[in-house]
Amino acid sequence: MCGITGWTDTGRDLASPEHIATARNMTDTMSCRGPDASGLWRSTRAMLGHRRLSVIDLVGGTQPMTAAPEREDLVITYSGEVYNFRELRTELIARGHCFRTRSDTEVVLRGCLEWGAEGLTPRLNGMYAFAVWDARADTLWLVRDRLGIKPLYFHPYPGGVLFGSEPKALLANPLFEAALDDTGIAELFAVPSAPTPGHGVYRGLRQVRAGHIVRVQGDALREIRYWAPPARPHTGGPAETTARVRELLEETVERQLISDVPLCSLLSGGVDSSAISSLAARSLARTGTKLSTYSVDFPGAESTFRRTAWHDSRDEPYAQAAAAHMGTRHTTILVDSDEQRTHEETALRARDLPGWGEMDVSLHLLFARVSRHSTVALSGEAADEVFGGYPYFRDEAALAADTFPWLQGRSAPAALLREEVRARVRPEEYLQDCYADALAEAQRLEGERGRDARIREVSHLALTRWLPALLDRKDRMSMATGLEVRVPFCDHRLVEYVINVPWSLREAGGQEKYLLRRAVADLLPASVVNRRKSAFPASPSPGFAQALRRRVHDLLADTRAPVFDLVDRAAVRRRVDRGEALPSPRAADSSIAGLSYLLSVDTWLRTYRVAIR
């Protein structure tokens, strides 16, 4: 996994010393994503930068990469993993291509030579974001994987475009300003848990949408969609469907074990991460290798844990039971509240945007400890979106709501906006427009009605509006520590199959994720197989919550706090004085999430010197 960046311009000589220095600065911002090596390719019209985290072909995968040492008309800067690169390599050799390396990067580059970017992308299985500069046609291609696992931002301007894995790469170029306009405010306050595909929050910043290609040729920019979750009739009964899910999971995990560096698995004790860990452990055992697994916990959690709709049980007892059953080498990483407080800015800088507060920090600290021992980790992310594990899949009121179901009955941070800001931004209208746009994109199956039709819509919303927020968080927190996290449940073949399985098979007998549980029941202890959904744990420390409240009181007393250019100071004070929770940017219940978010927005505005336009 790596960090990529670049710059094309029709009116500037990018080979000049001034612009080369800027290009190096842009590339250096990606050092956290790629601590092992750095590369910069440049010409008069284009610059491509790369920071490498070496995972496959440690010696030969240097980037940016050209088609041949003497041929620089096609060059790539690539981040990610293509898990079927060996099969594609064999096919390309049969078509006459000669390879200099064992890397998947060269397979992607030669695939572009053979089929073009539009012809290659449907053949890829993996998580990736890459840019290809074709000097023959003065054309830049920006490509992102089907589910949007790996990020890719870009900023078009007259005559050129800047791009990078994270906003910080573009912010290192004087042509891009850290500014916030009305739609950016709406993204932060109206739809923080349903981010608009393609929106980068900063003014003028866009993202390559999941499953899309962006072609830039001079001032002409075209977005090309190459994948969307399809709607297909499902054939097969319960036994056949369960067997197919198991087969796809086994194939996917086997593919994602490819690595030339140490690999581990994240194990929360839920059925999702336990299934992935068990399949990985079984596969590695055939080579005589024992899998290492990791979980996160908090000091004193056994006495301070409180059950909620989103946190049914503590992870640790189940993680230990699963690890013992599989025979993995398990480590529990304890994160205390003092550590969280001292690493808040680190987590913020990993995102370049306001985030999820203490949950970002604890995830970052988990990944930092894991990265001391492994470079690659498997994760159970996305199983709930694919198999329907969240409460809103079964909540009748949420399903009937004319909004994103996870927002039904909830107050967004937009409730705190100043009246003049609300009048400009119109957050309620923005939310409804976003919801309407999301529904309009959903694939529909002819003749499907009632609950099955609505579940198909909710599955689409979960995959395209909810999951991106989780994947973005996981990518930033992991790559900030030099850890590559792979997500087998995001394999597009698995997604395409399961979202077309009727709800009656996905949740037979009213048990959430019934289909997944049956598919892996023989791998895990019964307690883990039947454990109810429990989200990533929040810090249970009462002292941590009290410290957040004190900090918000200090913020209210700060007459220069930039967050109050957007937020109504008096409204915040009234809620805090009454002991009420502030509106949360997350769907999961948390009494401190709103406090943490307010502080995060203020710190971001200060640290990044964000101009409000």
Side-chain angles (χ1 to χ4, degrees):
M1 201 57 56
C2 308
I4 67 173
T5 189
W7 183 8
T8 68
D9 196 296
T10 59
R12 292 175 173 83
D13 178 5
L14 298 186
S16 70
E18 173 192 359
H19 296 319
I20 290 173
T22 298
R24 286 202 177 100
N25 289 338
M26 293 172 68
T27 304
D28 288 346
T29 66
M30 295 288 95
S31 60
C32 58
R33 299 183 71 92
D36 296 330
S38 177
L40 183 66
W41 180 93
R42 56 193 182 273
S43 69
T44 300
R45 299 287 294 279
M47 179 282 293
L48 273 67
H50 189 267
R51 291 289 312 203
R52 188 180 185 207
L53 178 66
S54 302
V55 173
I56 294 175
D57 192 0
L58 307 187
V59 176
T62 303
Q63 295 186 54
M65 184 180 289
T66 57
E70 71 285 353
R71 181 180 173 183
E72 297 199 352
D73 55 357
L74 199 73
V75 59
I76 187 172
T77 183
Y78 165 86
S79 170
E81 305 291 348
V82 169
Y83 303 120
N84 63 332
F85 77 98
R86 291 171 174 168
E87 298 97 307
L88 291 172
R89 178 189 174 103
T90 299
E91 184 176 356
L92 287 164
I93 289 173
R95 289 173 175 265
H97 289 265
C98 296
F99 285 83
R100 295 171 288 148
T101 74
R102 296 186 297 106
S103 70
D104 57 339
T105 303
E106 188 176 10
V107 171
V108 173
L109 177 58
R110 294 198 166 275
C112 286
L113 276 171
E114 181 66 30
W115 299 297
E118 292 181 66
L120 170 66
T121 45
R123 292 173 160 87
L124 300 178
N125 176 282
M127 56 178 188
Y128 47 83
F130 61 88
V132 174
W133 171 250
D134 186 347
R136 301 166 300 182
D138 280 347
T139 300
L140 176 70
W141 300 87
L142 302 174
V143 182
R144 195 173 181 197
D145 64 68
R146 290 172 179 83
L147 274 297
I149 305 167
K150 304 316 297 179
L152 186 52
Y153 291 84
F154 67 103
H155 168 62
Y157 64 89
V161 65
L162 308 173
F163 68 86
S165 295
E166 297 179 11
K168 57 175 59 72
L170 289 79
L171 289 166
N173 192 305
L175 293 175
F176 184 68
E177 177 193 27
L180 189 65
D181 60 15
D182 288 351
T183 63
I185 295 170
E187 285 292 312
L188 287 175
F189 287 88
V191 290
S193 63
T196 303
H199 203 296
V201 179
Y202 290 94
R203 186 181 68 165
L205 184 63
R206 298 166 63 180
Q207 294 189 62
V208 178
R209 295 187 60 173
H212 279 67
I213 302 168
V214 173
R215 186 184 70 190
V216 183
Q217 197 168 30
D219 281 333
L221 186 149
R222 181 186 173 203
E223 295 187 67
I224 304 160
R225 187 174 194 169
Y226 70 89
W227 185 82
R232 299 169 183 160
H234 179 75
T235 58
E240 182 182 347
T241 301
T242 302
R244 179 57 179 156
V245 168
R246 175 63 170 267
E247 179 183 29
L248 285 168
L249 282 172
E250 289 177 343
E251 290 178 5
T252 298
V253 172
E254 186 72 30
R255 276 184 169 182
Q256 297 195 18
L257 292 175
I258 298 172
S259 175
D260 292 338
V261 292
L263 176 146
C264 69
S265 187
L266 306 174
L267 178 61
S268 70
V271 68
D272 312 337
S273 64
S274 299
I276 297 302
S277 298
S278 181
L279 290 169
R282 283 161 58 108
S283 180
L284 291 174
R286 291 194 289 270
T287 66
T289 303
K290 179 175 281 194
L291 178 70
S292 293
T293 53
Y294 295 88
S295 61
V296 64
D297 201 13
F298 302 91
E302 63 276 2
S303 60
T304 57
F305 175 81
R306 296 292 180 269
R307 184 179 180 187
T308 71
W310 287 80
H311 298 91
D312 184 73
S313 54
R314 277 185 65 227
D315 284 350
E316 189 57 20
Y318 293 93
Q320 292 289 349
H325 186 84
M326 301 172 205
T328 66
R329 186 182 296 108
H330 188 72
T331 302
T332 301
I333 293 173
L334 291 177
V335 175
D336 64 40
S337 55
D338 289 338
E339 275 189 299
Q340 287 182 292
R341 282 193 287 269
T342 58
H343 284 79
E344 283 181 355
E345 188 171 330
T346 303
L348 176 70
R349 288 191 177 278
R351 276 193 186 262
D352 296 320
L353 288 165
W356 290 6
E358 87 289 349
M359 292 185 71
D360 281 357
V361 179
S362 57
L363 190 65
H364 179 275
L365 290 170
L366 167 65
F367 289 154
R369 305 277 181 82
V370 171
S371 67
R372 297 175 186 173
H373 310 284
S374 293
T375 306
V376 176
L378 302 181
S379 170
E381 209 80 54
D384 289 300
E385 289 77 11
V386 176
F387 288 91
Y390 289 114
Y392 57 76
F393 277 93
R394 290 166 299 284
D395 185 326
E396 295 301 329
L399 291 175
D402 188 25
T403 188
F404 296 105
W406 53 90
L407 298 182
Q408 188 274 332
R410 300 185 65 85
S411 176
L416 298 176
L417 289 173
R418 295 166 61 129
E419 284 305 315
E420 66 271 25
V421 177
R422 289 179 60 83
R424 286 200 334 262
V425 173
R426 300 195 297 274
E428 291 80 12
E429 290 181 31
Y430 190 87
L431 169 59
Q432 284 307 111
D433 288 345
C434 290
Y435 179 66
D437 289 344
L439 275 189
E441 294 173 356
Q443 304 290 310
R444 290 171 172 80
L445 189 63
E446 186 176 354
E448 193 172 55
R449 299 286 186 272
R451 189 178 185 86
D452 277 340
R454 180 55 176 164
I455 289 293
R456 185 179 296 278
E457 288 181 342
V458 171
S459 295
H460 169 82
L461 296 174
L463 286 169
T464 63
R465 297 304 193 275
W466 171 280
L467 180 60
L470 301 181
L471 293 177
D472 183 72
R473 170 176 173 254
K474 180 148 294 198
D475 173 84
R476 296 303 194 285
M477 296 307 115
S478 61
M479 293 308 298
T481 68
L483 180 71
E484 173 181 302
V485 176
R486 298 176 178 177
V487 278
F489 284 112
C490 282
D491 183 282
H492 72 275
R493 301 166 306 152
L494 180 68
V495 172
E496 290 176 0
Y497 183 77
V498 175
I499 64 169
N500 286 296
V501 173
W503 188 243
S504 59
L505 291 181
R506 275 198 265 173
E507 195 184 48
Q511 186 180 34
E512 65 189 29
K513 293 185 289 192
Y514 173 87
L515 177 57
L516 174 61
R517 295 177 194 278
R518 293 311 98 198
V520 300
D522 62 308
L523 301 175
L524 305 170
S527 62
V528 173
V529 172
N530 296 312
R531 184 190 179 196
R532 291 183 59 192
K533 167 68 184 173
S534 200
F536 186 86
S539 172
S541 166
F544 185 79
Q546 292 165 7
L548 277 180
R549 293 188 185 95
R550 286 195 298 270
R551 290 170 58 195
V552 169
H553 278 292
D554 292 342
L555 185 67
L556 286 165
D558 184 351
T559 58
R560 296 183 179 180
V563 71
F564 294 118
D565 293 337
L566 301 173
V567 169
D568 186 331
R569 190 191 302 262
V572 173
R573 181 176 284 114
R574 282 194 299 272
R575 288 177 182 253
V576 171
D577 287 347
R578 291 197 295 256
E580 298 176 5
L582 298 184
S584 171
R586 309 196 300 259
D589 296 326
S590 171
S591 61
I592 62 175
L595 299 169
S596 186
Y597 193 64
L598 184 73
L599 293 165
S600 179
V601 172
D602 185 76
T603 303
W604 172 65
L605 292 169
R606 295 175 193 257
T607 304
Y608 284 75
R609 299 181 181 179
V610 180
I612 299 174
R613 303 299 187 192

